[in-house]
Amino acid sequence: MGQYYRDVDHLFEIYGYFLERILTHEKIGPKMAKAGIIIKFIYTDPDCEITIDLKNPPSKPGHYGSFYLGPCEIKEDVWSKQSADHSHRFWHGLENPIASVAKGKVKQGGNVIKMLKLLPVVKPAFRMFPVVLEEMGYQNLILTKK
């Protein structure tokens, strides 16, 4: 198991809450929806996947996209595979996504260019992730720059 998540349920608890916040955020959500793509994140340690659908109409009112914790039937346009720990550091703004791909820490496929266009859009979420962890009582998982 990785450093930050006890198991898949723990990861889904945190990312589910976080994605709920992002996809309902009045500034981040609409900009993400404009990407019009479906992204599958494949995590290791713990092994699981999360799919974010920014192409089809959202499944819940007030949302700018949908997300699925675990396998789903929706075919992704792009996929990204990384350790859950790497993703945790990324959402704190501590990992450079381009360098991560170049160093082999993240593997990607599909329409990667469209996904890269989302980077400036999700940057404000880097400030939200520690807030979400605090709200959930996971202060011990909040990372700071060294």
Side-chain angles (χ1 to χ4, degrees):
M1 204 51 52
Q3 185 176 353
Y4 306 112
Y5 302 102
R6 293 186 299 267
D7 52 30
V8 171
D9 291 338
H10 187 219
L11 184 142
F12 283 170
E13 174 193 2
I14 292 170
Y15 277 61
Y17 186 81
F18 179 55
L19 289 170
E20 203 53 51
R21 292 284 299 277
I22 290 174
L23 293 174
T24 57
H25 192 275
E26 64 280 351
K27 291 185 178 156
I28 300 171
K31 290 179 182 177
M32 284 183 69
K34 285 182 183 172
I37 60 172
I38 299 170
I39 308 164
K40 180 181 286 188
F41 292 95
I42 305 161
Y43 298 115
T44 59
D45 300 317
D47 296 349
C48 60
E49 58 187 57
I50 296 175
T51 303
I52 302 174
D53 182 352
L54 302 170
K55 184 184 276 186
N56 298 300
S59 58
K60 296 180 187 173
H63 286 64
Y64 296 98
S66 303
F67 65 91
Y68 304 90
L69 304 173
C72 69
E73 298 298 315
I74 297 173
K75 176 70 177 131
E76 73 276 3
D77 298 309
V78 62
W79 57 267
S80 178
K81 182 176 183 178
Q82 61 202 277
S83 74
D85 285 352
H86 185 277
S87 178
H88 188 81
R89 290 187 300 273
F90 170 80
W91 286 115
H92 279 85
L94 302 175
E95 291 286 355
N96 178 312
I98 307 300
S100 296
V101 171
K103 292 176 182 175
K105 292 180 181 179
V106 175
K107 296 187 181 1
Q108 297 180 321
N111 195 338
V112 175
I113 301 301
K114 274 195 167 188
M115 188 166 73
L116 289 176
K117 288 181 182 177
L118 273 173
L119 285 176
V121 172
V122 300
K123 209 166 188 178
F126 295 165
R127 288 188 299 280
M128 286 175 63
F129 194 63
V131 172
V132 161
L133 292 170
E134 174 113 18
E135 288 173 1
M136 297 180 77
Y138 291 124
Q139 292 86 343
N140 61 316
L141 295 179
I142 297 172
L143 306 179
T144 54
K145 291 183 181 174
K146 294 177 183 171

